Amino acid sequence: MIIERSSNWREDFIQRFEQDGPWDSWTLYNKSYEIEKMNLIPEFSGLQAPKFLTNIQLLPHQVEAAQTVIEKMNGKAILADEVGLGKTIEAGLIMKEYMIRGIVKKVLILVPASLQNQWVTELNMRFFIPAIAYRKNTPIEHYDVVVMSMDTAKKSPHREKIYEQDYDMIIIDEAHKLKNHKTQIYEFVQSLKKKFCLLLTATPIQNDVFEIFYLVSLLKPGHLGNYESFQASFSTTKNSTDGEKYLKELVNQVMVRNRRQDTGIEWTSRKVETIPIQFTPGEREVYEMIGALKSVSAVFSSSFTMVTLLKEMCSSKEATFLTLNKMIQKCVTNEESEYIEEILAKLMKLEINSKAEKVIEIIEKANDKVIIFTEYRATQAYLQWYLYTKGISSVLFNGKFSKSKRDWVKQLFRQRDQVLIATESGGEGINLQFCHHVINYDLPWNPMKLEQRIGRVHRLGQEEDVHIYNLAIEDTIEQKILDLLGSKIDVFEKVVGDLDDILTRKA
Amino acid sequence: MYAEQVHDYLRTFFKETDCELLSDEGYMLSVQLTADMDKRIMNRPFYWQYIEATNSPANPARLNLITDRTKVQNQFIGEIIHFGSGRLHQIFKATKELGSFVQMYQQSNDRKMLTPYFCVNYKVSYYCDQTKEVLYSLGINLINGDIEDHFHEFVSQLDLKGNIPENSFCLQYIIKPARALERLDGMIQNIIQNDDHSWAEEAKKRWAKELEVLDFFYDGVEEKPESYEIEKKGLKERFNPRIKVEIINGGLFYLH
């Protein structure tokens, strides 16, 4: 094996010897040796980083995760802890350890734009890693640790600039954004050299089993076979428990997943309730009319449009109105526009929103801070008005808010308003442990989005039981969504592992 | 390193490097850096380039270092310094630079004959996807060529000074220091060769295994895409076992 000899100590010594000096201080000579001894890495195994991290109270499951990744997974892993267990801390710890050991110097961290500053602050303040946030024209060749938004990284000229660097480690937060192998970001990451690599996601599977295939293939191509062999072995295993077990085992070789209950920390429990709601006859009539649209006009033949409309009708007339109003302009025949106008007329006459009434009931009963999640901005605005008429103060939140606005809203919610109304995109990057009630006003198709929502509240630091209310209107598309969510959770649990309750448990 | 240790360390370091301590409260140190120290630990090469190019009067920094933040109310009066912080790391680096070469004489009131020794402190690092480091402090007797390990532990106990004591005299070396250095380097090489290198074998096994997995992914693909070569390069950089020998410091010792 080649032995590298670094340092020009030899030449310097001979020179000083020949010139009889200058000689250094004996005290500093001794100190220097002591420092080396103190910082020595005496074993291949074990972690050195914790003794440097005086600003963090590391939890046992976090230390264990870091150790597993370094010692058993050789530095390439998916960190898939449930939301709120500190994946960022684990990633920082692993990075720090490799840096101390002199194996990693240059690190690229790809994150959603909204989390960029949070990462930079955490790394600097808690890990003493001098990381910078990448902005346009940042000379990245001068910085060792760069935090960049995924959307920026995948585009020219940034991607070329990244390819020119020689990164030792790549970290990707919210890595489920890479589940689709046809996207630009996936291709970008695929062509990136990944010497050491961490993918962070609480939700490695959102919809189907191929997502985990693509994620693992990014990290370690071949670990789950190639596409053909994977498809042959696993896509048809819907009924084969052996196949699922085998797949789960393979996945667990590259994935660390801590669940709340394995952390040894006492977690408050989740009380999940599905609350069935009845439409009023008026609402039902409009809903049925919308359902019949596809036989009226070709404009509505797309099932996507239909599903959107039906979901919106289950949310609020305001949301429905906006979409219908846009569509009326696409109508060609008079017959079509007349039918829609009839719907619109009936819609406008509706005075009761059964779901919103239920919400008031829940808020009054809770008599506490409540978060409401909805998928529609129109519904969000309507709810704020409606709550206001009932004397309940609320504040709005969505994912497009800047860091300072987020903090401001959080502050308002904590100190002034009883209710926070957030849209879907507000699910990531805000932590609200002081609240104990979550209303899912309408349901997303993807169970992991629900988990993300709940995770805003049910995370480290929560001291009380958390109540989750999933609202669904009976005999509507929401019933179907509920069923589908159930079966997706099933796939996840078979391949990745158990989940904390998101929906009411099936009996 | 606890807050107190850091504090003691800094006090010693600045005293030893002629930086004036303006105040020292036990949890906070105020120190006026010399120009040389400013260059070493303040990270501002452009400032110094400018000063030197324009011949302007230099204004070396004055640092307020807080070693125990629990004892200060207002953190903004200074810079918090602790084990793991960048500034301390720089000071460690400066320590290393300023404590590299010594020539020391054992002290005594009696008439003594001093034997010359030459010592090198080595750090040997084994790298693959994991790391391990070992220190060797090798001292060679420049008269008879005997080599001993743990030399530093031994000499650090002795009463040594930079000047030869009165009444004592030094024996002339027989082995030249340059030659002694070669011998010690050879000795280190020997130690490394005789060490247990199962770690390297294990790393190669992990490497081979991951390569096999990668090859399987591209099995049957006629023209392998660029990403295949990139992955392969990544594997090599991660697992390829390497050994590094670094000299921390060393010097001449005249002992009884």
Side-chain angles (χ1 to χ4, degrees), chain A residues 4-5 10 24-25 30 33 35-37 41 55 74 101 103 128 191 193 195 220 222-223, chain B residues 9 16 69 82 98 100-101 123 131 133 152-153 185 189 206 210 213 217 230 237-238 243 245:
Chain A
E4 301 165 29
R5 294 176 186 279
R10 293 173 181 82
D24 294 335
S25 137
N30 275 299
Y33 189 84
I35 293 161
E36 288 295 340
K37 211 168 161 181
I41 299 157
N55 261 5
N74 316 328
R101 286 177 176 262
I103 301 175
F128 318 123
S191 317
K193 190 183 76 187
K195 188 171 154 192
K220 254 184 153 182
H223 185 76
Chain B
Y9 181 83
E16 203 62 34
R69 92 189 74 177
H82 54 86
L98 297 170
S100 289
F101 312 93
K123 183 164 83 175
T131 335
E133 299 169 340
H152 184 78
E153 274 74 12
D185 279 346
Q189 183 117 8
R206 290 197 290 274
E210 299 225 355
V213 167
F217 190 71
I230 294 171
E237 287 175 15
R238 184 149 56 112
I243 298 174
V245 176

Side-chain angles (χ1 to χ4, degrees), chain A residues 171-189:
Chain A
I171 296 177
I172 302 175
D173 195 9
E174 306 290 349
H176 47 264
K177 299 210 152 66
L178 300 176
K179 64 184 175 184
N180 185 346
H181 68 291
K182 287 180 188 143
T183 52
Q184 209 182 355
I185 181 75
Y186 190 95
E187 281 168 28
F188 165 70
V189 173

Side-chain angles (χ1 to χ4, degrees), chain B residues 113-147:
Chain B
M113 206 164 60
L114 298 174
T115 311
Y117 289 82
F118 173 64
C119 166
V120 177
N121 296 319
Y122 291 96
K123 183 164 83 175
V124 175
S125 311
Y126 295 158
Y127 290 101
C128 48
D129 58 320
Q130 297 166 340
T131 335
K132 182 182 164 177
E133 299 169 340
V134 190
L135 289 182
Y136 295 98
S137 176
L138 302 183
I140 179 169
N141 182 320
L142 294 180
I143 303 291
N144 62 18
D146 285 349
I147 297 177

Side-chain angles (χ1 to χ4, degrees), chain A residues 48-49 52 94 112 118 125 127 171 297 326 354 460:
Chain A
Q48 300 292 318
F52 291 89
I94 294 166
Q118 202 175 312
M125 303 302 289
F127 288 95
I171 296 177
S297 158
K326 257 185 250 156
S354 315
L460 281 179

